[in-house]
Amino acid sequence: MSSLLAALLITMLGVAYVKGYDYVKKHSPEHLVHFYLIMATVRLLLIGTAVALYVLFADSREEAIRYALIILIMYALMMVTTLTMRH
């Protein structure tokens, strides 16, 4: 269940980045740098919070480490995919 929620979070972050990038590029391209920095901060906070909450409530240390690795791998794949699509 937690992996499904993590995948949903990563997917929502990717979609928000792509849609937001298109919107900012269309209406105010000079603010793309600001948009990217804001989205990077939001992504880091959300991913960090998700991992921290899971680690806090995890039953074992190994399970928490595996979950954190899965999240980081999915995050890296999302970043590569969205940056490849938009740059």
Side-chain angles (χ1 to χ4, degrees), residues 58-69:
D59 294 332
S60 68
R61 183 172 185 243
E62 293 80 22
E63 183 181 340
I65 291 171
R66 259 186 265 123
Y67 183 77
L69 285 174

Side-chain angles (χ1 to χ4, degrees), residues 5-77:
L5 290 175
L8 183 63
L9 173 65
I10 297 290
T11 303
M12 286 186 342
L13 287 173
V15 169
Y17 177 79
V18 170
K19 295 295 184 186
Y21 181 89
D22 289 341
Y23 182 83
V24 172
K25 188 172 182 180
K26 180 179 177 185
H27 294 287
S28 184
E30 66 273 5
H31 292 291
L32 278 175
V33 173
H34 300 123
F35 169 75
Y36 181 76
L37 291 174
I38 290 169
M39 279 301 293
T41 304
V42 168
R43 286 190 307 254
L44 280 173
L45 287 173
L46 288 176
I47 296 298
T49 302
V51 169
L53 286 174
Y54 191 85
V55 167
L56 230 124
F57 296 113
D59 294 332
S60 68
R61 183 172 185 243
E62 293 80 22
E63 183 181 340
I65 291 171
R66 259 186 265 123
Y67 183 77
L69 285 174
I70 288 171
I71 289 285
L72 292 176
I73 290 169
M74 286 192 305
Y75 178 76
L77 288 173

